[in-house]
Amino acid sequence: QVQVVESGGGVVQPGRSLRLSCAASGFTFSTYAMHWVRQAPGKGLEWVAVISYDGGNKYYADSVRGRFTISRDNFKNTLYLQMNSLRAEDTAVYYCARDRQWLLAFDIWGQGTMVTVSS
Amino acid sequence: SSELTQDPAVSVALGQTVRITCQGDSLRTYYTSWYQQKPGQAPVLVIYGRNNRPSGIPDRFSGSSSGDTASLTITGAQAEDEADYYCNSRDSSGNHLVFGGGTKLTVL
């Protein structure tokens, strides 16, 4: 079935790095833009970044620009989020989501992976 | 960037109709999508575009928009509709997305 599965979360100290992965299956990954969305504990949803189907266009939320990098490997059907210079306020569940049509809607979501930034 | 504003909480009696609103300048230009999130679960898309429901979403969910305000209407709310609802749209730049703060729906 159509699904995306995130991995790579964990506990990391402030200032360190972490890379999240999102494995896609059940659809032609290379034809869809993909997003990362996060949710801090007890808080609302926050859009993080998007990458176009071919990786040619990438956009980031102001809160992560310059620290996070979104990328994809269409041969491995995998989306990535490289997170550098992590801060306590980056603590959240990170969701991978498929873009139904460029920036129109997130139609497939993973179950999320938790990232905790703490010393 | 722009903001999307939602009422923090709304309640509805079982079987009645409820409207959840989302306000923001960018909604004059861009479509809104709506997401339902239950505790401990990932969000689920319920409405997108002009007024489209993904497969599996009951037809009691509908969307509309007027000016700077988009609305999600649940006609005949059910107990299982109790959840947090988030709106989402592009910001004024057109290349970034923003979520509303979310509305907690209680079905009485």
PDB file of all heavy atoms in Angstrom, chain A residues 7 20 24 48 50 60 62 69 73-75 79 87 96 99 103 108 112 118:
ATOM      1  N   SER A   7      12.501   7.459   9.903  1.00  0.00           N
ATOM      2  CA  SER A   7      13.445   6.866  10.840  1.00  0.00           C
ATOM      3  C   SER A   7      14.574   7.857  11.106  1.00  0.00           C
ATOM      4  O   SER A   7      14.684   8.876  10.412  1.00  0.00           O
ATOM      5  CB  SER A   7      14.023   5.554  10.282  1.00  0.00           C
ATOM      6  OG  SER A   7      14.722   5.802   9.073  1.00  0.00           O
ATOM      7  N   LEU A  20      17.485  12.563   9.344  1.00  0.00           N
ATOM      8  CA  LEU A  20      16.265  11.772   9.274  1.00  0.00           C
ATOM      9  C   LEU A  20      16.101  11.200   7.877  1.00  0.00           C
ATOM     10  O   LEU A  20      16.515  11.812   6.890  1.00  0.00           O
ATOM     11  CB  LEU A  20      15.044  12.630   9.610  1.00  0.00           C
ATOM     12  CG  LEU A  20      15.065  13.387  10.940  1.00  0.00           C
ATOM     13  CD1 LEU A  20      13.748  14.141  11.132  1.00  0.00           C
ATOM     14  CD2 LEU A  20      15.344  12.468  12.099  1.00  0.00           C
ATOM     15  N   ALA A  24       9.773   5.619   1.113  1.00  0.00           N
ATOM     16  CA  ALA A  24       8.474   5.627   0.447  1.00  0.00           C
ATOM     17  C   ALA A  24       8.251   4.315  -0.296  1.00  0.00           C
ATOM     18  O   ALA A  24       9.194   3.719  -0.832  1.00  0.00           O
ATOM     19  CB  ALA A  24       8.397   6.797  -0.529  1.00  0.00           C
ATOM     20  N   VAL A  48       8.173  22.473   7.637  1.00  0.00           N
ATOM     21  CA  VAL A  48       9.619  22.619   7.752  1.00  0.00           C
ATOM     22  C   VAL A  48      10.279  22.873   6.402  1.00  0.00           C
ATOM     23  O   VAL A  48      11.054  23.829   6.241  1.00  0.00           O
ATOM     24  CB  VAL A  48      10.247  21.375   8.410  1.00  0.00           C
ATOM     25  CG1 VAL A  48      11.773  21.450   8.393  1.00  0.00           C
ATOM     26  CG2 VAL A  48       9.737  21.205   9.835  1.00  0.00           C
ATOM     27  N   VAL A  50      10.219  21.653   1.828  1.00  0.00           N
ATOM     28  CA  VAL A  50       9.682  20.918   0.684  1.00  0.00           C
ATOM     29  C   VAL A  50      10.781  20.757  -0.357  1.00  0.00           C
ATOM     30  O   VAL A  50      11.664  21.612  -0.482  1.00  0.00           O
ATOM     31  CB  VAL A  50       8.464  21.638   0.078  1.00  0.00           C
ATOM     32  CG1 VAL A  50       8.842  23.010  -0.470  1.00  0.00           C
ATOM     33  CG2 VAL A  50       7.824  20.791  -1.035  1.00  0.00           C
ATOM     34  N   TYR A  60      12.416  26.324   2.515  1.00  0.00           N
ATOM     35  CA  TYR A  60      12.510  26.054   3.948  1.00  0.00           C
ATOM     36  C   TYR A  60      11.751  27.093   4.759  1.00  0.00           C
ATOM     37  O   TYR A  60      11.643  28.260   4.374  1.00  0.00           O
ATOM     38  CB  TYR A  60      13.977  26.094   4.393  1.00  0.00           C
ATOM     39  CG  TYR A  60      14.867  25.094   3.714  1.00  0.00           C
ATOM     40  CD1 TYR A  60      15.536  25.410   2.536  1.00  0.00           C
ATOM     41  CD2 TYR A  60      15.049  23.823   4.253  1.00  0.00           C
ATOM     42  CE1 TYR A  60      16.352  24.488   1.903  1.00  0.00           C
ATOM     43  CE2 TYR A  60      15.875  22.890   3.632  1.00  0.00           C
ATOM     44  CZ  TYR A  60      16.517  23.233   2.457  1.00  0.00           C
ATOM     45  OH  TYR A  60      17.333  22.315   1.841  1.00  0.00           O
ATOM     46  N   ASP A  62      11.518  29.710   7.755  1.00  0.00           N
ATOM     47  CA  ASP A  62      12.531  30.634   8.278  1.00  0.00           C
ATOM     48  C   ASP A  62      13.237  30.060   9.501  1.00  0.00           C
ATOM     49  O   ASP A  62      14.429  30.313   9.716  1.00  0.00           O
ATOM     50  CB  ASP A  62      11.875  31.969   8.659  1.00  0.00           C
ATOM     51  CG  ASP A  62      11.386  32.749   7.453  1.00  0.00           C
ATOM     52  OD1 ASP A  62      11.785  32.427   6.314  1.00  0.00           O
ATOM     53  OD2 ASP A  62      10.576  33.683   7.653  1.00  0.00           O
ATOM     54  N   THR A  69      18.790  20.784   5.772  1.00  0.00           N
ATOM     55  CA  THR A  69      18.852  20.566   4.336  1.00  0.00           C
ATOM     56  C   THR A  69      17.971  19.372   3.971  1.00  0.00           C
ATOM     57  O   THR A  69      18.141  18.276   4.518  1.00  0.00           O
ATOM     58  CB  THR A  69      20.293  20.287   3.872  1.00  0.00           C
ATOM     59  OG1 THR A  69      21.130  21.390   4.218  1.00  0.00           O
ATOM     60  CG2 THR A  69      20.333  20.074   2.365  1.00  0.00           C
ATOM     61  N   ASP A  73      16.697  10.789  -2.752  1.00  0.00           N
ATOM     62  CA  ASP A  73      17.354   9.845  -3.643  1.00  0.00           C
ATOM     63  C   ASP A  73      16.232   9.077  -4.336  1.00  0.00           C
ATOM     64  O   ASP A  73      15.620   8.181  -3.725  1.00  0.00           O
ATOM     65  CB  ASP A  73      18.266   8.904  -2.858  1.00  0.00           C
ATOM     66  CG  ASP A  73      19.062   7.980  -3.756  1.00  0.00           C
ATOM     67  OD1 ASP A  73      18.586   7.666  -4.870  1.00  0.00           O
ATOM     68  OD2 ASP A  73      20.150   7.552  -3.352  1.00  0.00           O
ATOM     69  N   ASN A  74      15.956   9.429  -5.563  1.00  0.00           N
ATOM     70  CA  ASN A  74      14.841   8.809  -6.276  1.00  0.00           C
ATOM     71  C   ASN A  74      15.131   7.364  -6.678  1.00  0.00           C
ATOM     72  O   ASN A  74      14.204   6.635  -7.028  1.00  0.00           O
ATOM     73  CB  ASN A  74      14.467   9.639  -7.496  1.00  0.00           C
ATOM     74  CG  ASN A  74      13.687  10.895  -7.117  1.00  0.00           C
ATOM     75  OD1 ASN A  74      13.193  11.014  -5.993  1.00  0.00           O
ATOM     76  ND2 ASN A  74      13.601  11.835  -8.045  1.00  0.00           N
ATOM     77  N   PHE A  75      16.377   6.952  -6.634  1.00  0.00           N
ATOM     78  CA  PHE A  75      16.695   5.554  -6.908  1.00  0.00           C
ATOM     79  C   PHE A  75      16.414   4.687  -5.681  1.00  0.00           C
ATOM     80  O   PHE A  75      16.067   3.516  -5.797  1.00  0.00           O
ATOM     81  CB  PHE A  75      18.149   5.408  -7.353  1.00  0.00           C
ATOM     82  CG  PHE A  75      18.429   6.063  -8.675  1.00  0.00           C
ATOM     83  CD1 PHE A  75      19.080   7.276  -8.754  1.00  0.00           C
ATOM     84  CD2 PHE A  75      18.005   5.462  -9.856  1.00  0.00           C
ATOM     85  CE1 PHE A  75      19.328   7.889  -9.974  1.00  0.00           C
ATOM     86  CE2 PHE A  75      18.243   6.061 -11.083  1.00  0.00           C
ATOM     87  CZ  PHE A  75      18.905   7.280 -11.136  1.00  0.00           C
ATOM     88  N   LEU A  79      13.560  10.027   1.162  1.00  0.00           N
ATOM     89  CA  LEU A  79      13.662  11.459   1.454  1.00  0.00           C
ATOM     90  C   LEU A  79      14.529  11.623   2.694  1.00  0.00           C
ATOM     91  O   LEU A  79      14.488  10.780   3.602  1.00  0.00           O
ATOM     92  CB  LEU A  79      12.267  12.024   1.718  1.00  0.00           C
ATOM     93  CG  LEU A  79      12.140  13.472   2.178  1.00  0.00           C
ATOM     94  CD1 LEU A  79      12.435  14.419   1.009  1.00  0.00           C
ATOM     95  CD2 LEU A  79      10.738  13.727   2.735  1.00  0.00           C
ATOM     96  N   ARG A  87      18.847  22.885  18.078  1.00  0.00           N
ATOM     97  CA  ARG A  87      18.492  23.690  19.246  1.00  0.00           C
ATOM     98  C   ARG A  87      17.389  22.984  20.027  1.00  0.00           C
ATOM     99  O   ARG A  87      16.670  22.144  19.477  1.00  0.00           O
ATOM    100  CB  ARG A  87      17.997  25.060  18.795  1.00  0.00           C
ATOM    101  CG  ARG A  87      18.938  25.809  17.868  1.00  0.00           C
ATOM    102  CD  ARG A  87      18.219  26.991  17.237  1.00  0.00           C
ATOM    103  NE  ARG A  87      19.096  27.759  16.358  1.00  0.00           N
ATOM    104  CZ  ARG A  87      18.659  28.677  15.498  1.00  0.00           C
ATOM    105  NH1 ARG A  87      17.367  28.949  15.414  1.00  0.00           N
ATOM    106  NH2 ARG A  87      19.517  29.325  14.730  1.00  0.00           N
ATOM    107  N   CYS A  96       7.161  12.996   7.655  1.00  0.00           N
ATOM    108  CA  CYS A  96       7.380  13.042   6.212  1.00  0.00           C
ATOM    109  C   CYS A  96       5.991  13.019   5.581  1.00  0.00           C
ATOM    110  O   CYS A  96       5.105  12.270   6.035  1.00  0.00           O
ATOM    111  CB  CYS A  96       8.206  11.822   5.830  1.00  0.00           C
ATOM    112  SG  CYS A  96       8.226  11.367   4.098  1.00  0.00           S
ATOM    113  N   ASP A  99       3.342  15.365  -1.222  1.00  0.00           N
ATOM    114  CA  ASP A  99       2.646  16.518  -1.775  1.00  0.00           C
ATOM    115  C   ASP A  99       1.706  16.047  -2.879  1.00  0.00           C
ATOM    116  O   ASP A  99       2.152  15.488  -3.877  1.00  0.00           O
ATOM    117  CB  ASP A  99       3.677  17.501  -2.318  1.00  0.00           C
ATOM    118  CG  ASP A  99       3.088  18.818  -2.779  1.00  0.00           C
ATOM    119  OD1 ASP A  99       2.401  18.829  -3.812  1.00  0.00           O
ATOM    120  OD2 ASP A  99       3.298  19.835  -2.100  1.00  0.00           O
ATOM    121  N   LEU A 103       2.427  22.127  -3.570  1.00  0.00           N
ATOM    122  CA  LEU A 103       2.038  22.986  -2.448  1.00  0.00           C
ATOM    123  C   LEU A 103       0.522  23.091  -2.264  1.00  0.00           C
ATOM    124  O   LEU A 103       0.026  24.075  -1.700  1.00  0.00           O
ATOM    125  CB  LEU A 103       2.651  24.383  -2.613  1.00  0.00           C
ATOM    126  CG  LEU A 103       4.175  24.432  -2.706  1.00  0.00           C
ATOM    127  CD1 LEU A 103       4.653  25.878  -2.688  1.00  0.00           C
ATOM    128  CD2 LEU A 103       4.832  23.639  -1.601  1.00  0.00           C
ATOM    129  N   ILE A 108      -0.354  12.036   2.014  1.00  0.00           N
ATOM    130  CA  ILE A 108       0.115  10.827   2.684  1.00  0.00           C
ATOM    131  C   ILE A 108       1.116  11.241   3.757  1.00  0.00           C
ATOM    132  O   ILE A 108       2.060  11.983   3.476  1.00  0.00           O
ATOM    133  CB  ILE A 108       0.797   9.850   1.707  1.00  0.00           C
ATOM    134  CG1 ILE A 108      -0.157   9.455   0.584  1.00  0.00           C
ATOM    135  CG2 ILE A 108       1.309   8.608   2.455  1.00  0.00           C
ATOM    136  CD1 ILE A 108      -1.375   8.676   1.038  1.00  0.00           C
ATOM    137  N   GLY A 112       5.763   9.439  11.886  1.00  0.00           N
ATOM    138  CA  GLY A 112       6.646  10.391  12.539  1.00  0.00           C
ATOM    139  C   GLY A 112       7.805   9.742  13.285  1.00  0.00           C
ATOM    140  O   GLY A 112       7.752   8.574  13.663  1.00  0.00           O
ATOM    141  N   SER A 118      18.557  17.840  23.716  1.00  0.00           N
ATOM    142  CA  SER A 118      18.739  18.078  25.145  1.00  0.00           C
ATOM    143  C   SER A 118      20.143  17.693  25.564  1.00  0.00           C
ATOM    144  O   SER A 118      20.723  16.736  25.050  1.00  0.00           O
ATOM    145  CB  SER A 118      17.711  17.266  25.942  1.00  0.00           C
ATOM    146  OG  SER A 118      17.957  17.374  27.333  1.00  0.00           O
TER     147      SER A 118
END
